[in-house]
Amino acid sequence: MSSRAEILDRLKSQTSSQGQVTLPEFDVAYIGDPVSKFKTILGELYTDVIEVNSLSEVASFVTEKFDGKRMISNVETIDFPDTANWKEQDQHLLENVEFALFEGTLGVAENGAIWISDEQMGQRVAPFICQRLGIILKKSSIVPLMQQAYKNLDSNKSSFGTFISGPSKTADIEQSLVVGAHGSRELFVFLM
Amino acid sequence: MSEGKHASLAEKLTNDTDRTDWHNKSIWGVRKKRDVAAFGIPDWELLRQTASNIKDYVLDNLHDLLLEFEKNATENGITVHWAADAEEHNAIVHGILAKHNVKKMVKSKSMLTEECGLNPHLEKNGIEVIDTDLGERIIQLRDEHPSHIVMPAIHLKREEISDTFHESWGTEKGNFDPQYLAEAARQSLRQDFLTADAALTGVNFAIAETGEYVVCTNEGNADMGAHLAPVQISCMGLEKLIPKREHLSVMLRLLARSSTGQPITAYSSHFKKPRKGQEMHLVLVDNGRSRHIQLPKFKAGLKCIRCAACMNTCPVYRRSGGHSYHVTVPGPIGSILAPNTNLKEYSDLPFASTLCGACSNVCPVKINIHEQLYEWRQVIGKAGYVETSKKIGLKVMNFVLSNPKVYDIGGKLGKKAMTLMPYAINNPLNPWYKSREMPDMDTESFKDWYKKNR
Ligand code: SF4
């Protein structure tokens, strides 16, 4: 008998019917205003939250800051000088990207997490391999809790997706927090 | 052989009082962060109860959920493998790597592969394995095992890590600034990510409904590995399943807060389908789990989501260190999981506890850890594996507690002895008083006090 059959066989005898768990509605009142909570939490998570009125504001902020370094964007109206073919490139060649810009689907007030799907990433590794990461997010997309986030996310929409909340970090050396472990060293969130 | 194993292994740490203190304090700090995070959510208890219900449902329906997951994952383009035990798991992983002629694999944190002894197996077969979680990389370079499931190198001081990096990577000798050391690791591991032929990750949650799975990291190492390499392998214990995607909203709220006090990890990645040109494999590992689930009193241990809160809170773990448990998952949860795999070998572990119940109180999925520790003691006692020193202590205790007269006299005598010759109790032959200060004794016995005050 295959391992699969053996394992399933043993588990079958343990099956006892029990109603599927439905989730209660969790308290959202304690969050207060989702947008300001979101900003506070991300601030605590070493993230720069910048309020902007237009995409062109984002573009000029970024160009000024990272002038002369490699920048890529997967935001429709923002193009940086060399972005032409980066989505088709071998993903290893993104290694020298200093700054990468994407749009996020939604933000979660309770933990500062931003959902970004592989479509929004252009290449899956892009938001991780870049030295600095920028995400544009609509204020109207910010929900109070993870519960509302999953209600709004359609799992069929992405083959890969991730919640990002802050730059990459580690505390593996004597519990001392170091920002910039393997992923991005900085996160800029542009709130529109 | 388990005679005194935990106790004598713990001495490595407890013999060095400063180090014990340091270890204790640094882990207690994490526990306090957890408290702040938990108290910040009015629904914390409701969340725990819901998570517990979800996991109970999982254990009662694992057969069906696994089939549902397998079907959906396969439709998503993930190749699903089943491994009965560690050996089969290692052979499957090696088989995939051999097929692709992999010379170098990067790996993000996976306690399961540690449990299965994957690294030595692959290295024996000529495959270089690089652990990419910083804590794991540190202990890999030092040829040690993790002492904690979330903070694998928590037992090491920065000076030791600095020496290791100096020897391995030529970092500046004597520079033990964490920022400097972490940067050195970033540079070194980036080269590994860029040159690996395959990446392996653990799994935090797998969702039956959608056939996807979630991997949580703060460093971003699982993603760096998985999205660069042409082949991705993920390994999970059978019990990591949850029924629906919406259940993640409960689990992810609890996991990082219980673990380190963070509201969520920096990255919670949902892997569903391979990217173009990539191959994805998922190995479902039993290794004793389908037998464990058949033990009604111990089944709930499989609800564990590996947050480590029970370790961080445990007064014994904090002072004895993870290595004293001589098993992959240390601390209270390890002490109730390990005896399932080898009763004799791990018969000391359920005794490495004060049964204070702190572990059960913090557990986000409400496992009755301290009750199971007690239950295991009964099982181990019946099997005759209780070590002699503990047996005598327990017998005396039992005798005293079940004989009110003896308790009374014993108390009075004990007190007298304490005032007259405290060294008789607080001496090196009495292991309980190692690293403990004796409190000042009340002159009044509880019974006398009660008579006066009732
Ligand atoms: S037993 Fe509970 S507290 Fe301990 S690691 Fe598992 S989930 Fe966390």
Side-chain angles (χ1 to χ4, degrees), chain A residues 13-32:
Chain A
S13 65
Q14 291 308 305
T15 302
S16 62
S17 56
Q18 194 195 48
Q20 177 77 257
V21 181
T22 49
L23 300 186
E25 285 297 324
F26 291 105
D27 178 11
V28 297
Y30 84 101
I31 294 291

Side-chain angles (χ1 to χ4, degrees), chain A residues 13-54:
Chain A
S13 65
Q14 291 308 305
T15 302
S16 62
S17 56
Q18 194 195 48
Q20 177 77 257
V21 181
T22 49
L23 300 186
E25 285 297 324
F26 291 105
D27 178 11
V28 297
Y30 84 101
I31 294 291
D33 171 38
V35 176
S36 65
K37 180 82 174 181
F38 180 78
K39 280 161 59 181
T40 315
I41 298 264
L42 269 182
E44 288 166 7
L45 296 172
Y46 314 93
T47 299
D48 285 318
V49 184
I50 300 153
E51 300 218 24
V52 292
N53 295 310
S54 65

Side-chain angles (χ1 to χ4, degrees), chain B residues 149 304-311 333 359 362-365 367 369:
Chain B
I149 59 174
C304 177
I305 59 170
R306 300 287 191 272
C307 72
C310 59
M311 273 155 235
I333 180 64
C359 46
V362 296
C363 177
V365 288
I367 301 173
I369 310 171

